mmCIF file of all heavy atoms in Angstrom:
data_model
loop_
_atom_site.group_PDB
_atom_site.id
_atom_site.type_symbol
_atom_site.label_atom_id
_atom_site.label_comp_id
_atom_site.label_asym_id
_atom_site.label_seq_id
_atom_site.Cartn_x
_atom_site.Cartn_y
_atom_site.Cartn_z
ATOM 1 N N ALA F 29 -63.833 111.270 5.810
ATOM 2 C CA ALA F 29 -65.182 111.822 6.021
ATOM 3 C C ALA F 29 -66.051 111.631 4.781
ATOM 4 O O ALA F 29 -67.283 111.596 4.874
ATOM 5 C CB ALA F 29 -65.082 113.313 6.370
ATOM 6 N N GLU F 30 -65.419 111.493 3.612
ATOM 7 C CA GLU F 30 -66.163 111.265 2.360
ATOM 8 C C GLU F 30 -66.366 109.776 2.082
ATOM 9 O O GLU F 30 -66.817 109.402 1.001
ATOM 10 C CB GLU F 30 -65.422 111.913 1.178
ATOM 11 C CG GLU F 30 -65.430 113.422 1.202
ATOM 12 C CD GLU F 30 -66.840 114.006 1.232
ATOM 13 O OE1 GLU F 30 -67.700 113.533 0.470
ATOM 14 O OE2 GLU F 30 -67.063 114.928 2.036
ATOM 15 N N GLY F 31 -65.955 108.924 3.024
ATOM 16 C CA GLY F 31 -66.179 107.487 2.863
ATOM 17 C C GLY F 31 -65.058 106.753 2.154
ATOM 18 O O GLY F 31 -65.227 105.603 1.726
ATOM 19 N N CYS F 32 -63.898 107.393 2.022
ATOM 20 C CA CYS F 32 -62.745 106.711 1.397
ATOM 21 C C CYS F 32 -62.076 105.780 2.396
ATOM 22 O O CYS F 32 -62.074 106.041 3.603
ATOM 23 C CB CYS F 32 -61.698 107.728 0.941
ATOM 24 S SG CYS F 32 -62.227 108.758 -0.420
ATOM 25 N N ARG F 33 -61.436 104.739 1.850
ATOM 26 C CA ARG F 33 -60.502 103.941 2.652
ATOM 27 C C ARG F 33 -59.145 104.619 2.534
ATOM 28 O O ARG F 33 -58.816 105.143 1.480
ATOM 29 C CB ARG F 33 -60.469 102.503 2.134
ATOM 30 C CG ARG F 33 -61.798 101.784 2.464
ATOM 31 C CD ARG F 33 -61.962 100.522 1.684
ATOM 32 N NE ARG F 33 -62.166 100.796 0.274
ATOM 33 C CZ ARG F 33 -62.045 99.881 -0.692
ATOM 34 N NH1 ARG F 33 -61.704 98.647 -0.391
ATOM 35 N NH2 ARG F 33 -62.261 100.197 -1.951
ATOM 36 N N ILE F 34 -58.394 104.613 3.634
ATOM 37 C CA ILE F 34 -57.197 105.459 3.704
ATOM 38 C C ILE F 34 -55.933 104.620 3.856
ATOM 39 O O ILE F 34 -55.888 103.697 4.677
ATOM 40 C CB ILE F 34 -57.296 106.405 4.946
ATOM 41 C CG1 ILE F 34 -58.608 107.214 4.935
ATOM 42 C CG2 ILE F 34 -56.071 107.316 5.051
ATOM 43 C CD1 ILE F 34 -58.751 108.198 3.797
ATOM 44 N N ALA F 35 -54.903 104.987 3.077
ATOM 45 C CA ALA F 35 -53.559 104.430 3.293
ATOM 46 C C ALA F 35 -52.655 105.604 3.620
ATOM 47 O O ALA F 35 -52.581 106.568 2.861
ATOM 48 C CB ALA F 35 -53.066 103.707 2.054
ATOM 49 N N MET F 36 -52.012 105.558 4.772
ATOM 50 C CA MET F 36 -51.225 106.710 5.219
ATOM 51 C C MET F 36 -49.834 106.281 5.694
ATOM 52 O O MET F 36 -49.617 105.143 6.092
ATOM 53 C CB MET F 36 -51.984 107.500 6.292
ATOM 54 C CG MET F 36 -52.403 106.718 7.503
ATOM 55 S SD MET F 36 -53.707 107.563 8.458
ATOM 56 C CE MET F 36 -52.821 108.972 9.123
ATOM 57 N N CYS F 37 -48.920 107.253 5.661
ATOM 58 C CA CYS F 37 -47.554 106.961 6.094
ATOM 59 C C CYS F 37 -46.928 108.221 6.688
ATOM 60 O O CYS F 37 -47.419 109.331 6.481
ATOM 61 C CB CYS F 37 -46.708 106.472 4.922
ATOM 62 S SG CYS F 37 -46.410 107.732 3.662
ATOM 63 N N ALA F 38 -45.849 108.011 7.423
ATOM 64 C CA ALA F 38 -44.988 109.081 7.959
ATOM 65 C C ALA F 38 -43.806 108.352 8.570
ATOM 66 O O ALA F 38 -43.805 107.115 8.613
ATOM 67 C CB ALA F 38 -45.716 109.923 9.003
ATOM 68 N N ARG F 39 -42.805 109.094 9.026
ATOM 69 C CA ARG F 39 -41.631 108.392 9.548
ATOM 70 C C ARG F 39 -41.853 107.830 10.946
ATOM 71 O O ARG F 39 -41.431 106.739 11.252
ATOM 72 C CB ARG F 39 -40.422 109.333 9.560
ATOM 73 C CG ARG F 39 -39.839 109.578 8.206
ATOM 74 C CD ARG F 39 -38.872 110.716 8.236
ATOM 75 N NE ARG F 39 -39.488 111.908 8.833
ATOM 76 C CZ ARG F 39 -38.899 113.065 8.991
ATOM 77 N NH1 ARG F 39 -37.650 113.198 8.620
ATOM 78 N NH2 ARG F 39 -39.539 114.090 9.519
ATOM 79 N N GLY F 40 -42.505 108.592 11.814
ATOM 80 C CA GLY F 40 -42.638 108.194 13.224
ATOM 81 C C GLY F 40 -43.821 107.264 13.441
ATOM 82 O O GLY F 40 -44.974 107.638 13.216
ATOM 83 N N ALA F 41 -43.518 106.016 13.897
ATOM 84 C CA ALA F 41 -44.565 104.998 14.043
ATOM 85 C C ALA F 41 -45.648 105.405 15.052
ATOM 86 O O ALA F 41 -46.842 105.199 14.810
ATOM 87 C CB ALA F 41 -43.943 103.674 14.454
ATOM 88 N N ASN F 42 -45.250 106.007 16.170
ATOM 89 C CA ASN F 42 -46.231 106.291 17.220
ATOM 90 C C ASN F 42 -47.237 107.354 16.816
ATOM 91 O O ASN F 42 -48.451 107.154 16.949
ATOM 92 C CB ASN F 42 -45.528 106.721 18.519
ATOM 93 C CG ASN F 42 -44.815 105.558 19.154
ATOM 94 O OD1 ASN F 42 -45.070 104.404 18.801
ATOM 95 N ND2 ASN F 42 -43.897 105.859 20.060
ATOM 96 N N THR F 43 -46.731 108.488 16.304
ATOM 97 C CA THR F 43 -47.665 109.555 15.910
ATOM 98 C C THR F 43 -48.530 109.107 14.739
ATOM 99 O O THR F 43 -49.706 109.468 14.651
ATOM 100 C CB THR F 43 -46.931 110.865 15.532
ATOM 101 O OG1 THR F 43 -45.822 110.549 14.718
ATOM 102 C CG2 THR F 43 -46.501 111.654 16.730
ATOM 103 N N LEU F 44 -47.948 108.278 13.862
ATOM 104 C CA LEU F 44 -48.731 107.781 12.720
ATOM 105 C C LEU F 44 -49.867 106.888 13.222
ATOM 106 O O LEU F 44 -51.016 107.027 12.783
ATOM 107 C CB LEU F 44 -47.819 107.000 11.758
ATOM 108 C CG LEU F 44 -48.514 106.403 10.543
ATOM 109 C CD1 LEU F 44 -49.027 107.504 9.609
ATOM 110 C CD2 LEU F 44 -47.575 105.475 9.771
ATOM 111 N N GLN F 45 -49.549 105.979 14.156
ATOM 112 C CA GLN F 45 -50.587 105.090 14.690
ATOM 113 C C GLN F 45 -51.676 105.887 15.383
ATOM 114 O O GLN F 45 -52.868 105.594 15.239
ATOM 115 C CB GLN F 45 -49.989 104.057 15.666
ATOM 116 C CG GLN F 45 -49.535 102.756 15.027
ATOM 117 C CD GLN F 45 -50.425 102.239 13.876
ATOM 118 O OE1 GLN F 45 -51.660 102.331 13.919
ATOM 119 N NE2 GLN F 45 -49.816 101.713 12.836
ATOM 120 N N GLN F 46 -51.273 106.905 16.133
ATOM 121 C CA GLN F 46 -52.279 107.759 16.813
ATOM 122 C C GLN F 46 -53.199 108.406 15.803
ATOM 123 O O GLN F 46 -54.422 108.425 15.967
ATOM 124 C CB GLN F 46 -51.580 108.875 17.593
ATOM 125 C CG GLN F 46 -51.168 108.483 18.993
ATOM 126 C CD GLN F 46 -50.248 109.550 19.606
ATOM 127 O OE1 GLN F 46 -50.244 110.695 19.185
ATOM 128 N NE2 GLN F 46 -49.469 109.144 20.587
ATOM 129 N N ALA F 47 -52.605 108.948 14.728
ATOM 130 C CA ALA F 47 -53.411 109.619 13.700
ATOM 131 C C ALA F 47 -54.348 108.613 13.028
ATOM 132 O O ALA F 47 -55.526 108.914 12.774
ATOM 133 C CB ALA F 47 -52.495 110.276 12.667
ATOM 134 N N ALA F 48 -53.838 107.407 12.756
ATOM 135 C CA ALA F 48 -54.654 106.373 12.101
ATOM 136 C C ALA F 48 -55.817 105.957 13.004
ATOM 137 O O ALA F 48 -56.965 105.839 12.552
ATOM 138 C CB ALA F 48 -53.779 105.175 11.749
ATOM 139 N N ASP F 49 -55.538 105.763 14.302
ATOM 140 C CA ASP F 49 -56.590 105.361 15.244
ATOM 141 C C ASP F 49 -57.679 106.425 15.340
ATOM 142 O O ASP F 49 -58.873 106.118 15.387
ATOM 143 C CB ASP F 49 -55.997 105.119 16.647
ATOM 144 C CG ASP F 49 -55.199 103.819 16.691
ATOM 145 O OD1 ASP F 49 -55.372 102.988 15.775
ATOM 146 O OD2 ASP F 49 -54.387 103.662 17.623
ATOM 147 N N GLU F 50 -57.247 107.669 15.363
ATOM 148 C CA GLU F 50 -58.187 108.800 15.439
ATOM 149 C C GLU F 50 -59.142 108.783 14.229
ATOM 150 O O GLU F 50 -60.346 108.993 14.375
ATOM 151 C CB GLU F 50 -57.334 110.066 15.393
ATOM 152 C CG GLU F 50 -57.843 111.261 16.136
ATOM 153 C CD GLU F 50 -56.834 112.401 15.923
ATOM 154 O OE1 GLU F 50 -55.891 112.467 16.732
ATOM 155 O OE2 GLU F 50 -56.983 113.174 14.957
ATOM 156 N N ILE F 51 -58.585 108.492 13.053
ATOM 157 C CA ILE F 51 -59.403 108.463 11.827
ATOM 158 C C ILE F 51 -60.376 107.285 11.867
ATOM 159 O O ILE F 51 -61.566 107.425 11.561
ATOM 160 C CB ILE F 51 -58.502 108.410 10.570
ATOM 161 C CG1 ILE F 51 -57.766 109.747 10.429
ATOM 162 C CG2 ILE F 51 -59.314 108.120 9.314
ATOM 163 C CD1 ILE F 51 -56.720 109.781 9.334
ATOM 164 N N ARG F 52 -59.887 106.110 12.298
ATOM 165 C CA ARG F 52 -60.769 104.932 12.394
ATOM 166 C C ARG F 52 -61.929 105.228 13.334
ATOM 167 O O ARG F 52 -63.081 104.952 13.033
ATOM 168 C CB ARG F 52 -59.999 103.723 12.943
ATOM 169 C CG ARG F 52 -59.021 103.133 11.964
ATOM 170 C CD ARG F 52 -58.391 101.849 12.528
ATOM 171 N NE ARG F 52 -57.274 101.465 11.702
ATOM 172 C CZ ARG F 52 -55.987 101.652 12.035
ATOM 173 N NH1 ARG F 52 -55.665 102.197 13.201
ATOM 174 N NH2 ARG F 52 -55.027 101.283 11.210
ATOM 175 N N GLN F 53 -61.612 105.822 14.499
ATOM 176 C CA GLN F 53 -62.646 106.075 15.497
ATOM 177 C C GLN F 53 -63.640 107.123 15.025
ATOM 178 O O GLN F 53 -64.844 106.972 15.175
ATOM 179 C CB GLN F 53 -62.017 106.536 16.812
ATOM 180 C CG GLN F 53 -61.519 105.361 17.633
ATOM 181 C CD GLN F 53 -60.502 105.795 18.692
ATOM 182 O OE1 GLN F 53 -60.443 106.961 19.066
ATOM 183 N NE2 GLN F 53 -59.694 104.856 19.151
ATOM 184 N N LYS F 54 -63.125 108.196 14.431
ATOM 185 C CA LYS F 54 -64.003 109.314 14.064
ATOM 186 C C LYS F 54 -64.873 108.988 12.855
ATOM 187 O O LYS F 54 -66.041 109.387 12.794
ATOM 188 C CB LYS F 54 -63.134 110.548 13.774
ATOM 189 C CG LYS F 54 -63.934 111.793 13.555
ATOM 190 C CD LYS F 54 -63.100 113.041 13.713
ATOM 191 C CE LYS F 54 -63.983 114.255 13.447
ATOM 192 N NZ LYS F 54 -63.227 115.435 13.134
ATOM 193 N N HIS F 55 -64.310 108.271 11.866
ATOM 194 C CA HIS F 55 -65.032 108.094 10.604
ATOM 195 C C HIS F 55 -65.461 106.646 10.349
ATOM 196 O O HIS F 55 -66.157 106.384 9.369
ATOM 197 C CB HIS F 55 -64.171 108.583 9.431
ATOM 198 C CG HIS F 55 -63.666 109.995 9.609
ATOM 199 N ND1 HIS F 55 -64.485 111.097 9.446
ATOM 200 C CD2 HIS F 55 -62.446 110.476 9.954
ATOM 201 C CE1 HIS F 55 -63.764 112.193 9.676
ATOM 202 N NE2 HIS F 55 -62.531 111.844 9.997
ATOM 203 N N GLY F 56 -65.006 105.713 11.195
ATOM 204 C CA GLY F 56 -65.392 104.301 11.050
ATOM 205 C C GLY F 56 -64.955 103.717 9.717
ATOM 206 O O GLY F 56 -65.642 102.864 9.156
ATOM 207 N N THR F 57 -63.831 104.190 9.200
ATOM 208 C CA THR F 57 -63.359 103.689 7.906
ATOM 209 C C THR F 57 -62.109 102.832 8.092
ATOM 210 O O THR F 57 -61.471 102.877 9.142
ATOM 211 C CB THR F 57 -63.077 104.884 6.956
ATOM 212 O OG1 THR F 57 -62.872 104.388 5.645
ATOM 213 C CG2 THR F 57 -61.855 105.672 7.367
ATOM 214 N N GLU F 58 -61.778 102.050 7.059
ATOM 215 C CA GLU F 58 -60.564 101.228 7.131
ATOM 216 C C GLU F 58 -59.343 102.102 6.873
ATOM 217 O O GLU F 58 -59.349 102.924 5.953
ATOM 218 C CB GLU F 58 -60.594 100.138 6.062
ATOM 219 C CG GLU F 58 -61.552 99.018 6.341
ATOM 220 C CD GLU F 58 -61.534 98.017 5.200
ATOM 221 O OE1 GLU F 58 -60.700 97.085 5.225
ATOM 222 O OE2 GLU F 58 -62.351 98.192 4.272
ATOM 223 N N VAL F 59 -58.309 101.901 7.681
ATOM 224 C CA VAL F 59 -57.083 102.688 7.530
ATOM 225 C C VAL F 59 -55.890 101.739 7.555
ATOM 226 O O VAL F 59 -55.766 100.912 8.459
ATOM 227 C CB VAL F 59 -56.923 103.720 8.677
ATOM 228 C CG1 VAL F 59 -55.639 104.527 8.498
ATOM 229 C CG2 VAL F 59 -58.119 104.654 8.748
#
Side-chain angles (χ1 to χ4, degrees):
E30 291 303 315
C32 292
R33 290 165 291 164
I34 306 295
M36 56 198 291
C37 67
R39 285 168 307 180
N42 289 345
T43 44
L44 179 67
Q45 270 323 321
Q46 273 169 22
D49 287 343
E50 211 181 272
I51 291 173
R52 288 186 192 103
Q53 278 161 20
K54 187 162 179 199
H55 307 285
T57 191
E58 287 178 88
V59 180

